[in-house]
């Protein structure tokens, strides 16, 4: 999964940190955390894995360190990579348990990754904040909680 995300994410133009607001990113992320929405099935888990993978692989490349330091610790590259791996493993395990078919996981990744890349691209291109920061609402809903 990560190879496909890396190849697709590098096609996006680097985003200027000054054009984005960490307050908005953190705020939309927190709204997602507090929404009560959580991944309930393997397809949701793949979506979470894809969003986290796109963010983790792009964040370290497209944003400077000072900008990243102002983000929620959950959104920093190392934590994002952990979340991506966690949700990918959970989804893969659930698909295997429920269907005995690991190919279904790969099919879901192939569908979810372009959607996550579009959400990342919207940080630069979406005309309004609701669309621009959608990625962070999804990441918030896909935050890790180990209770």
């Amino acid at each position: 999964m990560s190879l496909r995300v890396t190849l697709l994410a590098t096609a996006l133009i680097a985003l200027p940190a000054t054009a984005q607001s960490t307050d908005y990113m953190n705020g939309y992320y927190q709204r997602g955390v507090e929404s009560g929405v959580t991944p309930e099935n393997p397809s949701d888990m793949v979506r979470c894995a894809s969003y986290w993978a796109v963010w983790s692989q792009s964040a370290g490349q497209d944003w400077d360190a000072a900008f990243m330091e102002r983000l929620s610790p959950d959104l920093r590259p190392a934590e994002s990579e952990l979340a991506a791996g966690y949700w990918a493993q959970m989804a893969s395990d659930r698909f295997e348990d429920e269907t005995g078919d690991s190919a279904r996981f790969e099919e879901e990744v192939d569908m979810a990754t372009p959607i996550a890349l579009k959400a990342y691209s919207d940080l630069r291109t979406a005309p309004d904040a609701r669309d621009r920061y959608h990625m962070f609402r999804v990441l918030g809903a896909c935050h890790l909680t180990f209770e």
Side-chain angles (χ1 to χ4, degrees):
M1 180 169 109
S2 64
L3 178 58
R4 278 187 294 232
V5 172
T6 300
L7 293 175
L8 293 170
T10 56
L12 295 174
I13 298 171
L15 304 170
T18 57
Q20 304 301 322
S21 165
T22 55
D23 290 341
Y24 277 113
M25 290 174 169
N26 288 332
Y28 277 89
Y29 177 77
Q30 193 58 38
R31 285 183 199 147
V33 169
E34 295 170 357
S35 70
V37 175
T38 59
E40 296 180 2
N41 58 57
S43 294
D44 291 347
M45 294 172 190
V46 168
R47 182 178 79 143
C48 289
S50 295
Y51 271 72
W52 279 115
V54 167
W55 175 248
S56 71
Q57 292 181 20
S58 301
Q61 297 171 14
D62 294 343
W63 309 92
D64 66 37
F67 184 80
M68 294 301 294
E69 282 297 314
R70 293 190 301 269
L71 288 175
S72 166
D74 294 350
L75 296 171
R76 295 184 186 147
E79 291 80 0
S80 298
E81 187 175 337
L82 176 68
Y86 172 82
W87 287 119
Q89 187 63 55
M90 290 293 292
S92 177
D93 290 350
R94 290 276 297 274
F95 275 123
E96 186 67 32
D97 290 346
E98 292 178 8
T99 67
D101 183 10
S102 60
R104 175 76 191 276
F105 170 73
E106 293 299 327
E107 292 168 5
E108 292 278 336
V109 168
D110 289 343
M111 291 186 295
T113 300
I115 295 167
L117 286 165
K118 169 73 168 84
Y120 186 76
S121 176
D122 284 348
L123 287 171
R124 182 183 72 246
T125 61
D128 64 65
R130 182 178 169 95
D131 293 333
R132 191 174 313 127
Y133 298 107
H134 167 74
M135 173 170 240
F136 296 96
R137 288 193 309 267
V138 173
L139 292 174
C142 297
H143 72 285
L144 296 183
T145 56
F146 299 103
E147 298 172 9

